[in-house]
Amino acid sequence: MVKVSSSTTSSSSSSSPDEESDLQNLLEESDSQIDQFRISDEAAEQRPTFDVESLRSRLRRSFKLNLTKKQSIFIFLPIVIILIYLSTDFSNYFSVKVPNSAFRSNTLTGRVHESDLQALYLLRKQESDLFSIWNHTVSNLSTIDDVKSAVFRQISLNRQIQNALLSPHKTGNVDIGGSSDGYFAGGSCRKVDQKLNGRKTIQWKPRPDKFLFAICLSGQMSNHLICLEKHMFFAALLKRVLVIPSHRFDYHYSRIIDIDRINTCLGRTVVVSFEEFWKKDKNRKKHHHVHINRFICYFSKPEPCYVDKEHITKLKALGITVGGKLDTPWEEDIARPSNKTAEEVEANFRSDDDVIAIGDVFYANVEREWVMQPGGPVAHKCRTLIEPNRLILLTAQRFIQTFLGKNYIALHFRRHGFLKFWYDLFSTSLLHSTFDDNVVHFITKIKSGTLAKKFSWCASNAKNPSCFFPIPQAASCITRLIEKVEAPVLYLSTDAAESETGLLQSLLILNGKTVPLVKRPARDSAEKWDALLYRHGLEGDSQVEAMLDKTICALSSVFIGASGSTFTEDILRLRKDWGTASECDEYLCANEQPNFIADHE
């Protein structure tokens, strides 16, 4: 044991110098590495943030890329520029605020120059129009209406020139008035003074047990309403209560007009419905039917009363019998009706029979001026006796309040069937073979000049037998009136196809703006203007809708009608009686002929 220990001790002592030498070497090497790291850190602190050379060396080590210095700069310099651009706002360094006044002078100068050119164009146009008026008045004896219309056009053009010159100096919506403001305030389309104080009227005081049965068979609803109005005149002359026809024989009048209101306007019972007459008639209680004692025809040719077998069958189906044969007090041809006086009617249609019937009086020419005066020939306390019922009138007012407003033009633009109607209207070869006698009479009256003043030039000129105007020509006529009235919207009552109304709408342009056409829309539960008709079961009735159209047209500021249409004539009657007739009311393209007329078949 002692031996081993001694040997170990001896070995340790012999190796000690070598170990110390190794240890010393290790310490020196460690210090050398620490100094290298310290120097490296100090160099890194002193290096800039982005060192291309360092980045190049790192990439070389990481990706083993051998890039030159120029290549490194070429690659990374754009990246540096983009980063600087995105991180820096240069607008504060380079933006320059230019005051608006710097451009104001140039803008105003441009506007003045433009307005001067426009004014020059308008002045030349006015000069041309004035020369035209001068030449026309020298060569022709112009009517006062023509002169007034021409003068108004020049006043309107003068105002346009003023506005063109003043437009650069206007600010906002300020309107610069002129000397013509007083004239325009009165309106170029003033209401017609109907002079109601000078009306010639007759008192309608019927005997309570004497009745007149109205027979109206020619044409459609408008014709029947005109016929009914004339029957009232006959009933007043003959001192009889007028019986309104049943809807099973004629139209449903109670849905269209207010029958009870007629009695209110006169303060006594002057009209009764067929149902009321049925209850009152004493013969019905005895014989269980209504008996017409005498049936008198106003026209004897070509067929008495227009009553054929079909109409007789309808009367019998209602429980009505007719005593004797159809009677005619005089020779009267519908193609050549003569002027009759009130005294002649009283003398020839007077009867002691309880119930008489007279038909058809639509074309009867009795005291025309008396019948056609505002309010009609019968004395009453209302504006007119025959007008739309209250529900239709209120619905029309609600439609106007919803879509149109106070100032609007109404247009009756009849197209369906009108093209052929005017082709054949003045055709001698077809005169007595194509149309019934109602139309023959209508043609004869126009040709003879009886209605020449009432209808437009095209309707009274047999050499140009058409009032069916091409859409572009119609649009031109309408636009001229819109410019005169200065109405923002136009109501359209028409049977035209969508293709025609669409073209018409596209052509109605005034001062660069389209004038909207408004038609009654289809029923929409979201809209409430037609709720009254819907609630009372009148919706969808074609005659109710026609009367609604008439009412809207009759309430317009200005009305444009269709020559030869009794629908238009009934609207004009309402406008005359209601006091809404305007000096600018006219037929479409009055005093013009269509610029193109197709050949006959």
Side-chain angles (χ1 to χ4, degrees):
M1 297 292 293
V2 173
K3 188 175 180 176
V4 171
S5 173
S6 175
S7 173
T8 306
T9 304
S10 177
S11 175
S12 300
S13 62
S14 62
S15 62
S16 176
D18 295 332
E19 292 177 356
E20 290 178 359
S21 177
D22 293 337
L23 181 60
Q24 184 64 32
N25 292 334
L26 289 171
L27 290 174
E28 291 175 357
E29 187 176 338
S30 176
D31 292 336
S32 176
Q33 292 178 355
I34 291 172
D35 291 338
Q36 291 178 0
F37 284 124
R38 184 180 296 112
I39 293 170
S40 176
D41 291 341
E42 291 175 357
E45 292 176 359
Q46 295 175 1
R47 253 191 337 258
T49 304
F50 187 80
D51 189 350
V52 176
E53 183 66 29
S54 175
L55 183 60
R56 183 169 63 89
S57 61
R58 291 180 185 178
L59 289 173
R60 184 182 300 166
R61 290 194 301 269
S62 301
F63 300 100
K64 297 180 180 181
L65 296 175
N66 189 14
L67 299 175
T68 65
K69 187 174 183 179
K70 291 183 178 181
Q71 290 174 334
S72 300
I73 293 173
F74 180 76
I75 293 174
F76 296 106
L77 185 59
I79 299 176
V80 174
I81 294 173
I82 292 173
L83 293 174
I84 294 173
Y85 175 78
L86 294 175
S87 60
T88 306
D89 185 9
F90 290 97
S91 61
N92 294 328
Y93 298 98
F94 299 102
S95 62
V96 178
K97 294 183 179 179
V98 181
N100 294 332
S101 60
F103 298 103
R104 190 171 301 162
S105 178
N106 291 336
T107 303
L108 181 60
T109 302
R111 290 172 58 191
V112 170
H113 180 66
E114 182 181 352
S115 65
D116 288 344
L117 291 176
Q118 184 180 4
L120 179 61
Y121 165 77
L122 292 173
L123 283 170
R124 288 180 176 176
K125 185 176 186 299
Q126 187 177 44
E127 180 186 36
S128 174
D129 290 345
L130 288 172
F131 272 118
S132 176
I133 294 172
W134 174 261
N135 293 332
H136 182 72
T137 52
V138 169
S139 59
N140 300 288
L141 295 176
S142 300
T143 64
I144 187 64
D145 290 338
D146 293 337
V147 175
K148 287 171 62 179
S149 178
V151 170
F152 169 77
R153 286 197 298 270
Q154 298 313 309
I155 293 174
S156 178
L157 188 59
N158 186 273
R159 167 162 279 206
Q160 293 181 44
I161 297 172
Q162 293 182 50
N163 289 334
L165 292 172
L166 294 174
S167 60
H169 308 286
K170 290 183 179 180
T171 56
N173 295 323
V174 177
D175 184 23
I176 301 177
S179 59
S180 61
D181 284 348
Y183 175 80
F184 279 90
S188 60
C189 297
R190 292 181 290 270
K191 299 300 180 185
V192 176
D193 183 8
Q194 302 293 349
K195 300 178 181 179
L196 298 177
N197 294 332
R199 286 177 62 213
K200 179 182 179 181
T201 60
I202 182 176
Q203 294 293 327
W204 188 358
K205 296 181 178 180
R207 294 168 289 179
D209 58 342
K210 303 298 180 181
F211 298 92
L212 171 61
F213 202 98
I215 302 293
C216 297
L217 303 175
S218 61
Q220 299 183 2
M221 172 60 81
S222 297
N223 298 47
H224 287 224
L225 290 177
I226 296 172
C227 173
L228 198 62
E229 185 178 31
K230 291 183 178 181
H231 268 295
M232 291 182 180
F233 184 39
F234 276 59
L237 291 173
L238 301 175
K239 295 181 174 55
R240 290 179 175 271
V241 176
L242 183 65
V243 180
I244 305 296
S246 169
H247 66 275
R248 290 183 290 170
F249 180 75
D250 202 339
Y251 288 107
H252 208 315
Y253 289 101
S254 62
R255 297 168 69 91
I256 309 301
I257 61 176
D258 194 341
I259 297 175
D260 293 334
R261 178 184 165 280
I262 298 174
N263 294 326
T264 302
C265 290
L266 277 90
R268 64 186 72 91
T269 301
V270 294
V271 296
V272 294
S273 66
F274 176 78
E275 289 73 21
E276 292 175 310
F277 171 66
W278 179 272
K279 295 177 182 177
K280 290 182 178 181
D281 186 57
K282 56 185 179 181
N283 290 322
R284 184 195 64 81
K285 296 178 180 179
K286 295 180 179 179
H287 308 289
H288 305 288
H289 63 263
V290 172
H291 185 70
I292 297 177
N293 303 108
R294 186 183 178 192
F295 204 132
I296 311 173
C297 297
Y298 186 91
F299 290 101
S300 58
K301 296 179 180 180
E303 183 179 1
C305 296
Y306 300 147
V307 177
D308 53 18
K309 293 181 179 180
E310 180 183 356
H311 290 110
I312 294 295
T313 302
K314 287 183 178 181
L315 288 174
K316 290 181 178 180
L318 289 172
I320 299 174
T321 58
V322 179
K325 62 179 182 178
L326 299 180
D327 186 15
T328 55
W330 50 41
E331 289 292 321
E332 189 72 7
D333 191 344
I334 190 173
R336 290 171 292 276
S338 58
N339 297 326
K340 300 294 184 182
T341 65
E343 290 75 15
E344 288 178 297
V345 171
E346 289 185 66
N348 287 276
F349 290 87
R350 183 183 295 114
S351 174
D352 292 329
D353 295 310
D354 293 336
V355 182
I356 66 172
I358 300 177
D360 180 317
V361 296
F362 173 71
Y363 292 111
N365 192 5
V366 178
E367 303 285 2
R368 179 174 177 79
E369 293 184 0
W370 195 358
V371 172
M372 296 302 296
Q373 64 183 338
V378 177
H380 57 83
K381 58 183 180 181
C382 300
R383 295 181 300 180
T384 184
L385 290 179
I386 298 180
E387 70 174 27
N389 70 39
R390 182 68 175 167
L391 295 176
I392 295 176
L393 181 59
L394 288 175
T395 301
Q397 292 174 349
R398 292 182 179 185
F399 180 87
I400 294 170
Q401 184 176 0
T402 303
F403 295 100
L404 301 174
K406 182 179 181 180
N407 185 25
Y408 68 97
I409 297 175
L411 168 65
H412 175 218
F413 193 52
R414 182 176 175 184
R415 305 293 282 182
H416 180 71
F418 227 35
L419 179 61
K420 190 174 186 304
F421 173 78
W422 284 112
Y423 282 164
D424 298 332
L425 184 58
F426 294 96
S427 175
T428 306
S429 60
L430 298 177
L431 187 60
H432 293 283
S433 60
T434 302
F435 298 106
D436 62 19
D437 294 293
N438 297 340
V439 180
V440 172
H441 167 63
F442 176 70
I443 296 169
T444 304
K445 291 184 76 175
I446 294 179
K447 278 189 166 184
S448 64
T450 307
L451 300 180
K453 295 182 179 180
K454 189 173 182 56
F455 291 97
S456 63
W457 176 88
C458 64
S460 58
N461 192 327
K463 294 182 180 179
N464 297 277
S466 182
C467 285
F468 190 89
F469 295 94
I471 297 292
Q473 184 179 1
S476 178
C477 296
I478 296 167
T479 303
R480 288 199 298 268
L481 187 59
I482 293 174
E483 182 179 14
K484 185 176 182 180
V485 179
E486 298 181 353
V489 67
L490 187 144
Y491 177 71
L492 181 62
S493 173
T494 185
D495 56 2
E498 194 67 31
S499 57
E500 293 183 79
T501 58
L503 177 59
L504 180 63
Q505 173 65 94
S506 67
L507 295 174
L508 290 182
I509 299 176
L510 183 63
N511 297 327
K513 297 181 180 179
T514 300
V515 180
L517 283 177
V518 178
K519 294 192 295 183
R520 282 187 300 104
R523 169 156 177 78
D524 188 339
S525 58
E527 297 177 357
K528 302 302 179 185
W529 63 269
D530 58 348
L532 288 174
L533 301 182
Y534 177 76
R535 289 204 303 264
H536 290 82
L538 298 178
E539 183 202 12
D541 188 317
S542 61
Q543 299 306 324
V544 171
E545 292 178 351
M547 182 57 78
L548 179 59
D549 260 2
K550 285 183 182 180
T551 308
I552 297 172
C553 290
L555 294 173
S556 63
S557 302
V558 173
F559 173 64
I560 306 173
S563 292
S565 169
T566 52
F567 188 94
T568 284
E569 296 309 307
D570 202 34
I571 293 171
L572 292 174
R573 176 189 65 82
L574 284 173
R575 291 179 64 78
K576 174 186 60 181
D577 293 350
W578 284 350
T580 58
S582 166
E583 292 180 349
C584 296
D585 289 352
E586 63 181 38
Y587 294 102
L588 179 63
C589 294
N591 301 320
E592 291 187 26
Q593 60 174 318
N595 57 31
F596 185 88
I597 301 176
D599 294 334
H600 292 284
E601 295 179 3

